[in-house]
Amino acid sequence: MQAAPAAPLATPWAVELDDATVAFRLADARVYTAVERARLSVAHGEFVAIVGPTGCGKSTLLNVAAGLLKPAAGTVRIFNEPLTGLNRQAGYLFQADALFPWKTAVDNVAIGLEISGASRAEAHAAAQKWLTLVGLGAFAGRYPHMLSGGQRKRVALAQVLIRNPKILLMDEPFGPLDAQTRQIMGNLLLDLWTADRKAVLFVTHDLEEAIALADRVVIMSAGPQSRIIGDWRVPLPRPRDIFEIRLEKEFHTLHREIWSVLKDEVLKGYAQSTGETSAV
Amino acid sequence: MSKIRLLSLQLLVAVVMIGLWQLLTTVPIFGRLLLPPFFFSNPVDVGSQIVAWFSSGVIWKHLAITLWESILAFAIGSLGGVLFGFWFARQPTVAAVFDPYVKMANALPRVVLAPIFTLWLGLGIWSKVALGVTLVFFIVFFNVYQGVREVSGTVLANGRMLGMNERQLMRHVYWPSALSWMFSSLHTSVGFAVVGAVVGEYLGSAAGLGYLIQQAEGVFDVAGVFAGMFVLSAFVILIDLGVTVVERRLLVWRPDAAHQRV
Ligand SMILES: Nc1ncnc2c1ncn2[C@@H]1O[C@H](COP(=O)(O)OP(=O)(O)O)[C@@H](O)[C@H]1O
Ligand SMILES: [Mg+2]
């Protein structure tokens, strides 16, 4: 519970996964090792994207960083402290819809402050401000089912950011959205992040999105026993506009380079996912 | 179909049914009545019986008693169902231990309990309330149990990541989910509360709609039986309308409830 007044330079890493191995016990008592010896560090204020074929263990890795899953082996450190229980420094934007369907948009955003003791009026004022920031000021009274998929993601983003977490975990947050909305959301995310740099761990299956947004792109191999097989620094300058940045030459060079590694894994992952079903 | 057209067609059905009923019970066809009035009464008699009840005011006392019994049965049954549903859902061991007994109790046709309740609680309203409670309790219990168990894992994880402790998860996640399941069965549970009250009255009491019907039946007053049934139907429909209004207010956040509104 104690807020460690850590000297910022003594702890360069916000998140450190040290040889983290994650295994699931399957229904027939077999053990499925999803991720093996993942080693990954995210610095203060750094934006890291994780890319990998579906089912390779990206969500699993985020759950480990969030403290929702315990690794079978290896350690997780958050600001140099070993993680036990939930990661209280992190905000998590889930892949699936996670808004409370029985709360209006503004109530959904306000809840994070309310439960930590803020008065209702205070929490609501702050929530209204955040809704305006994500462009939904006029939608405060709507319930989640009355919002579009993109609007729901905006509310979810505000819900997480209002608590001002030091670490932001995002699991394919724009996955179900159409291409235009994704780019708009990407720019919105970059704007918010530039204003207040948090350590971001951003999972996506879209390599272009990863390069456009991140400082570093990390590639995972196809599962089982997925590993981290590549780590690229993105040399593109900030501030970025992700509509424009795709036209840069450096973008294409990097994309080609990473894709040459990723392609094999995607094919392997696809072959496995189809092979698995025929083997059963 | 437009609203007016629908309504007029619905009215037409009622008019034809009542017309046929009147015709077959009063006009001889081939020298005899197809529906002997002794067994089927006729709409005019039934209608005048209803009018007599309302104009003399005797019916109000019976309606009030049945309504009061239904309300009590619903309130007590719901409260018990919510408490036990929550408790069982959060304590899987308790649920596992009591599972066969819950199933046994729920499988029992409740009518057989009526004499026992009369024996225990007398001929007053409480034996009827008890019968209604045994019906309402299980509906609410199973729905609340389901509602707590079926909370989306992602929503729950989100609550945790937003910093909720167990108590806050209870209040902001489990409770609303359980309530929404309970409200989705509101029509059924309110209906059963009325059924419990009326059946209880029918089987032995001194007042209420069930008593009224039973009394009429005892003296072969078929018009009285039919009149009681019509009043009972109207009573149930009115209550059901009330439930719909409450439901729409409480479940605005649900997609289906909102669509019904349009
Ligand atoms: N609770 C679980 N039990 C068993 N296997 C699981 C469980 N959760 C995930 N997995 C498996 O672990 C692998 C990684 O899953 P996940 O992290 O969700 O992949 P993705 O990279 O698509 O997010 C998948 O093969 C999945 O089937
Ligand atoms: Mg995933």
Side-chain angles (χ1 to χ4, degrees):
Chain A
M1 283 309 283
Q2 77 274 25
L9 287 175
T11 61
W13 303 115
V15 182
E16 285 176 276
L17 301 184
D18 204 354
D19 284 342
T21 298
V22 190
F24 293 107
R25 193 168 292 283
L26 299 180
D28 54 5
R30 276 186 307 151
V31 171
Y32 179 85
T33 308
V35 179
E36 186 152 283
R37 301 184 72 124
R39 190 181 279 262
L40 175 68
S41 309
V42 184
H44 275 290
E46 191 181 27
F47 197 129
V48 175
I50 302 178
V51 186
T54 45
C56 72
K58 304 182 295 293
S59 300
T60 304
L61 217 55
L62 272 198
N63 285 337
V64 167
L68 289 167
L69 258 183
K70 265 190 98 57
T75 53
V76 183
R77 278 192 300 280
I78 304 299
F79 294 111
N80 254 6
E81 301 274 332
L83 179 63
T84 53
L86 284 188
N87 184 349
R88 290 272 164 236
Q89 319 266 9
Y92 197 146
L93 204 60
F94 290 85
Q95 183 170 7
D97 262 340
L99 292 177
F100 305 108
W102 40 79
K103 288 186 187 293
T104 57
V106 69
D107 282 332
N108 259 292
V109 178
I111 188 71
L113 293 185
E114 260 177 67
I115 57 176
S116 57
S119 77
R120 211 179 142 73
E122 231 179 306
H124 266 240
Q128 187 62 50
K129 226 162 59 199
W130 270 103
L131 278 178
T132 310
L133 270 179
V134 297
L136 290 181
F139 294 82
R142 296 232 190 159
Y143 288 92
H145 83 267
M146 305 170 177
L147 298 168
S148 72
Q151 291 171 330
R152 282 202 291 268
K153 285 295 176 194
R154 286 166 189 258
V155 176
L157 190 61
Q159 184 185 51
V160 167
L161 289 178
I162 198 173
R163 297 180 64 242
N164 195 19
K166 295 205 180 74
I167 301 165
L168 192 53
L169 307 172
M170 306 178 83
D171 193 355
E172 306 200 25
F174 312 142
L177 308 180
D178 63 86
Q180 281 79 24
T181 313
R182 282 173 84 119
Q183 296 195 341
I184 293 168
M185 290 294 288
N187 272 338
L188 170 69
L189 175 63
L190 281 188
D191 285 347
L192 293 171
W193 178 73
T194 313
D196 168 29
R197 291 207 173 197
K198 302 171 184 312
V200 179
L201 207 47
F202 184 98
V203 163
T204 174
H205 56 251
D206 181 349
L207 181 55
E208 284 195 29
E209 185 176 65
I211 298 173
L213 292 172
D215 295 320
R216 267 167 61 210
V217 175
V218 168
I219 302 292
M220 291 179 79
S221 67
Q225 287 148 359
S226 174
R227 294 162 159 273
I228 289 174
I229 52 168
D231 191 336
W232 281 266
R233 193 155 285 285
V234 180
L236 299 166
R238 291 190 191 274
R240 299 179 190 165
D241 179 318
I242 63 173
F243 295 109
E244 308 283 321
I245 205 164
R246 286 160 208 251
L247 309 173
E248 307 261 333
K249 192 163 159 287
E250 274 165 309
F251 183 96
H252 287 282
T253 321
L254 191 61
H255 188 277
R256 200 168 308 127
E257 199 180 317
I258 303 179
W259 179 245
S260 68
V261 176
L262 185 60
K263 188 174 67 185
D264 292 342
E265 295 306 324
V266 170
L267 291 175
K268 231 184 279 172
Y270 180 72
Q272 259 160 16
S273 64
T274 50
E276 254 173 34
T277 44
S278 62
V280 168
Chain B
M1 204 184 317
S2 80
K3 252 196 160 121
I4 296 172
R5 207 173 128 78
L6 181 64
L7 201 68
S8 38
L9 282 177
Q10 286 171 335
L11 266 177
L12 184 68
V13 172
V15 169
V16 168
M17 298 288 281
I18 293 173
L20 268 179
W21 182 12
Q22 178 72 24
L23 197 75
L24 297 179
T25 47
T26 50
V27 180
I29 296 169
F30 304 122
R32 68 192 187 98
L33 290 170
L34 276 184
L35 299 178
F38 180 76
F39 294 112
F40 294 93
S41 186
N42 65 65
V44 173
D45 286 357
V46 171
S48 47
Q49 175 69 78
I50 293 176
V51 169
W53 276 341
F54 278 94
S55 59
S56 69
V58 284
I59 193 77
W60 296 115
K61 178 187 133 205
H62 297 289
L63 274 174
I65 296 259
T66 303
L67 181 64
W68 183 230
E69 286 165 353
S70 307
I71 289 173
L72 283 175
F74 175 75
I76 297 172
S78 297
L79 190 70
V82 167
L83 290 178
F84 277 89
F86 242 90
W87 186 39
F88 277 39
R90 301 296 288 142
Q91 305 282 335
T93 325
V94 176
V97 169
F98 281 97
D99 181 62
Y101 303 105
V102 170
K103 285 199 178 118
M104 234 164 91
N106 187 39
L108 197 69
R110 300 316 132 74
V111 183
V112 303
L113 292 174
I116 298 185
F117 286 143
T118 310
L119 212 60
W120 290 348
L121 302 167
L123 282 171
I125 65 165
W126 290 105
S127 55
K128 287 83 200 169
V129 172
L131 198 61
V133 166
T134 61
L135 290 164
V136 172
F137 171 84
F138 283 97
I139 298 165
V140 174
F141 169 82
F142 286 119
N143 275 289
V144 168
Y145 182 75
Q146 198 76 357
V148 174
R149 297 290 303 265
E150 306 238 321
V151 168
S152 139
T154 315
V155 171
L156 207 53
N158 192 26
R160 292 219 166 86
M161 289 307 292
L162 289 173
M164 290 187 192
N165 58 29
E166 276 302 308
R167 223 194 67 246
Q168 290 164 332
L169 281 177
M170 210 52 131
R171 167 147 173 244
H172 294 286
V173 181
Y174 289 115
W175 178 244
S177 173
L179 275 196
S180 83
W181 277 70
M182 184 189 141
F183 286 132
S184 68
S185 62
L186 209 56
H187 287 280
T188 323
S189 47
V190 168
F192 271 122
V194 178
V195 167
V198 172
V199 170
E201 286 162 0
Y202 181 83
L203 293 176
S205 69
L209 285 180
Y211 164 81
L212 217 55
I213 293 172
Q214 194 270 336
Q215 284 292 298
E217 199 180 297
V219 295
F220 299 103
D221 171 14
V222 180
V225 174
F226 277 110
M229 280 175 8
F230 277 112
V231 173
L232 181 59
S233 307
F235 176 72
V236 171
I237 285 174
L238 277 181
I239 287 185
D240 209 58
L241 277 177
V243 170
T244 306
V245 171
V246 171
E247 195 179 33
R248 284 193 184 167
R249 282 192 64 89
L250 291 172
L251 294 183
V252 269
W253 59 269
R254 287 239 300 223
D256 45 342
H259 285 163
Q260 281 168 15
R261 217 177 221 203
V262 181

